[in-house]
Every structure is written in C-alpha cells, then in structure tokens.
Amino acid sequence: MKQLVKILDVNKKFYNSIKCLCLLIGSMLYAQNYAFAEAKYLCIYDTGGTNGPVYNQMQDYRTVALAWNVEFNLKPYTDERIAAEDFKAGLCDAIVVTGFKVRDFNSFTGTLDAIGALPSYKHVKTAFQTLSSPKAAKLMQQGAYEVGGIIPAGAAYLFVKDREVRTIQDLSGKRIGVLDIDPSQREMALLVGGSPVGSDIARLYSNFNNGALDVVSGPAIVYEAMEVYKGLKPKGGVVDFPLGQLSLQLVFRTKKFPDGFGQQSREYIFSEFDRALSIIKSSEEGIPKKWWIEIPPEDRTGYIETLRQARISLKKKNIYNGKTLTVMRKIRCNLEPGRSECTAVDRE
C-alpha cells in the first residue's frame, strides 16, 4: 500500500510538472500570437467621418485583412492635413488620403491624378490594374512607405457660375478655387489666365456657393455632399469634360506589416474597382441634365492640348513624376492610337 501511494505521489508530481510546462508553453504561444496580431491603426480621411463612404468601404477592407493576419483599428479624420501629419509622426500605421496628398509619400502614384492624363474610366481601370500587378510592386515602394491600393474617386469637372464658360479662353479673368495641397491646380489656373484662390476642401465649395468664386472643380459627388447645386443657381452649370481622374490611396509603413501584405492589399482593392465606379457613376447620373454643359468637339481639342502642355510644364517643375506621365501616355495611345500626341516630338 505504501508503495502504491509513493508511485501515485511520483506520478502526481510528474503530472503537475507536465501541467506547468504546458501552461508555460501555452502562455508563450499566446504572447507570440498576440504580438503578431497586435492591431494596427488605419487612419482614414473622409469628409463624412464615420458616416462617409470611404470609412464604410474600409470597414470591409478591415474584415478582409484579418485573413492576412493583420488587424486594424479604424480612425476617421475629416481634415486630410492632420491625418497625414499623424501618419508621419507614427500615430498611424497606414492611411487613406487623396492622390494629391500621396505625393508626400510616393511621387509615382501621386501623379495618377495629373490633369487630363486619364480621359475616361476605361483608361483609369487599365492604369489601376497595371499598377496592382506584381510587376509594378517596386513602383509602389518609396523609402519607408508603400502604396497598398488605389481607389477611384471620380472624374473632376468644372462647376461654373456662368454657363457661357465653355472654352479654355472663357476662364480668363475668372476667380478659380484651387486646393492648397495641390500646386498643379494653381499652375493650371494661371495657365488659362484665371485668378487662383487657395483653399481647403471645407471652404472651397462654400466659397463657390456664396459667390466668392466663379469656378471650382471636383467630382460629381460634391454636387450633393457639398450642396454645390446652390452655387450653380441661377445660370451656372457643370462642364462635361473630365479635367482629371481623382483617387484615394492607401499608404502604409512597409516594415510594420507582414511580407506580402502590400500585394494582397493592392489586388483586393483593385477587385473592388467596379463597386467603387458604380457609386461614382450614380453620383454623375444624379446631377440633373439641365446643369450639364456640352463641349463641341473642336473645343475639346483645345482642352486636351492645354492640359497636355500643363502636364509637361508641371513635370519640369518636379510636381509631376515623369515616369508616371509616360505610363499614362502609353495607355492613352494603346487605347487611342490616332491621338496626335502619340507621334508628337514633345510627347510625355
């Protein structure tokens, strides 16, 4: 009997030792997994805050990213400048901002919004698809930053107080609202003989609505979101010519994320292209036909050449990335080989 008790006692000690060892190993694995899955901060610029379309789209992105072993805490910003500064300061691990602001982190993708460079949504889709492929991965990285996806934000149109403004020449002398974060807009306003008036997004459209500006540009979504219809009354309109294609881009610090995260992110975000485009087209269709100003073919030619010369000028001033302009020119010429620029001596 004593021998049996001794055996049981030894087994009990062995069991307790094994139990302690298992608990120790379990704790180590938990700690390792916890550190690996530590939530990252994704800071999102959206004028609508948590109720905005960009923030809502990123909620879906957050869910998908869990499959890549990345967990995000979403943080909304209604001021893009503050969002970018917090990202630079390390308060955000990733950020979603406009292509204009992305120039601070990647000059190549920050040039995708170049005026007149992508004339249609077919051109936009081709460009975004090309840049989402593994072959373009090196172009997505610049220094400590990497672009994890490009989201279409819609074509930019001119909203004018006077619908008689139809040609480039008609913009001469007009008070043109431009965004302070995009020097190309100021350059373009000066090029057409206008008077550029700098502003942020919050004030830009309210200044147009109250009559302080004659002309502003923006995607169709601002018609409702910023109540631009108030500024169009009584004799204004929307010039039916895309000045450029706007984008939102996700940028992250490469070292903060697992290997391969960037490519997974870019491919997923591009897979959502058609969904984003349907929202954009719905906004454009939501602008009543009475406001649209049709541009005759002969006047469109003038717009195209003026914008091309503006891009060349902005490239020389190091505002636009020349390599990006060349990629977009090749896309335009592949889709429309008959364009005069395709054989021009000064082609981009």
Side-chain angles (χ1 to χ4, degrees), residues 113-124:
D113 295 15
I115 47 182
L118 296 170
S120 72
Y121 292 130
K122 185 175 182 180
H123 293 82
V124 176

Side-chain angles (χ1 to χ4, degrees), residues 43 53 71 156 164-165 188 199-200 202 216 246:
C43 298
E71 181 181 3
E164 293 304 313
V165 175
M188 184 62 191
S199 175
D200 57 21
V216 292
L246 306 181

Side-chain angles (χ1 to χ4, degrees), residues 13-31:
K13 289 179 179 178
F14 178 75
Y15 169 77
N16 286 336
S17 298
I18 294 296
K19 182 179 179 181
C20 289
L21 181 61
C22 289
L23 289 172
L24 178 61
I25 293 173
S27 297
M28 291 172 64
L29 290 173
Y30 176 81

Side-chain angles (χ1 to χ4, degrees), residues 111-346:
T111 302
L112 289 171
D113 295 15
I115 47 182
L118 296 170
S120 72
Y121 292 130
K122 185 175 182 180
H123 293 82
V124 176
K125 188 170 186 177
T126 301
F128 289 13
Q129 184 174 28
T130 300
L131 298 182
S132 298
S133 72
K135 292 181 179 179
K138 289 184 179 179
L139 297 172
M140 299 299 102
Q141 298 183 38
Q142 188 170 306
Y145 305 109
E146 184 170 347
V147 176
I150 310 165
I151 306 166
Y157 298 99
L158 286 180
F159 294 82
V160 298
K161 284 285 186 183
D162 184 353
R163 64 186 301 110
E164 293 304 313
V165 175
R166 294 174 177 270
T167 68
I168 290 289
Q169 292 74 24
D170 294 334
L171 294 171
S172 179
K174 302 295 183 184
R175 298 167 298 174
I176 302 175
V178 298
L179 291 174
D180 291 326
I181 64 170
D182 182 19
S184 68
Q185 293 187 20
R186 178 174 293 275
E187 291 288 332
M188 184 62 191
L190 292 171
L191 185 66
V192 299
S195 300
V197 181
S199 175
D200 57 21
I201 290 180
R203 292 182 291 119
L204 182 67
Y205 300 107
S206 62
N207 286 343
F208 177 73
N209 291 342
N210 65 30
L213 296 172
D214 302 310
V215 181
V216 292
S217 64
I221 193 172
V222 303
Y223 177 80
E224 285 287 349
M226 299 297 180
E227 301 181 329
V228 176
Y229 52 84
K230 293 180 178 179
L232 296 179
K233 298 176 182 178
K235 59 175 184 176
V238 185
V239 179
D240 192 9
F241 181 93
L243 286 180
Q245 299 289 344
L246 306 181
S247 71
L248 291 162
Q249 299 181 29
L250 186 150
V251 183
F252 64 96
R253 294 179 184 276
T254 307
K255 290 184 178 180
K256 287 272 190 175
F257 292 82
D259 291 343
F261 168 78
Q263 189 57 42
Q264 289 174 310
S265 178
R266 289 188 289 273
E267 290 178 359
Y268 168 75
I269 287 179
F270 178 72
S271 74
E272 293 288 290
F273 182 93
D274 289 339
R275 174 188 173 189
L277 187 58
S278 66
I279 297 173
I280 292 167
K281 288 185 175 180
S282 178
S283 295
E284 292 177 350
E285 292 166 0
I287 299 178
K289 290 183 179 180
K290 68 177 182 177
W291 293 124
W292 289 103
I293 303 171
E294 294 293 332
I295 303 299
E298 59 272 19
D299 290 335
R300 297 178 80 87
T301 301
Y303 270 103
I304 291 170
E305 182 57 23
T306 299
L307 296 179
R308 190 178 79 87
Q309 291 300 329
R311 291 194 300 272
I312 292 173
S313 173
L314 292 165
K315 170 190 171 182
K316 292 177 180 177
K317 295 181 179 181
N318 294 318
I319 293 174
Y320 285 161
N321 183 303
K323 185 179 290 187
T324 317
L325 294 181
T326 299
V327 169
M328 293 190 289
R329 187 259 300 166
K330 289 180 178 179
I331 289 173
R332 293 193 301 273
C333 291
N334 283 338
L335 293 177
E336 303 171 83
R339 294 174 69 98
S340 60
E341 66 168 317
C342 301
T343 55
V345 176
D346 62 345

Side-chain angles (χ1 to χ4, degrees), residues 73-98:
N73 286 325
L74 305 186
K75 188 176 180 181
Y77 286 77
T78 55
D79 189 318
E80 184 174 32
R81 180 185 57 81
I82 295 176
E85 290 304 316
D86 281 0
F87 180 50
K88 291 176 183 178
L91 301 178
C92 310
D93 302 297
I95 191 173
V96 176
V97 287
T98 65

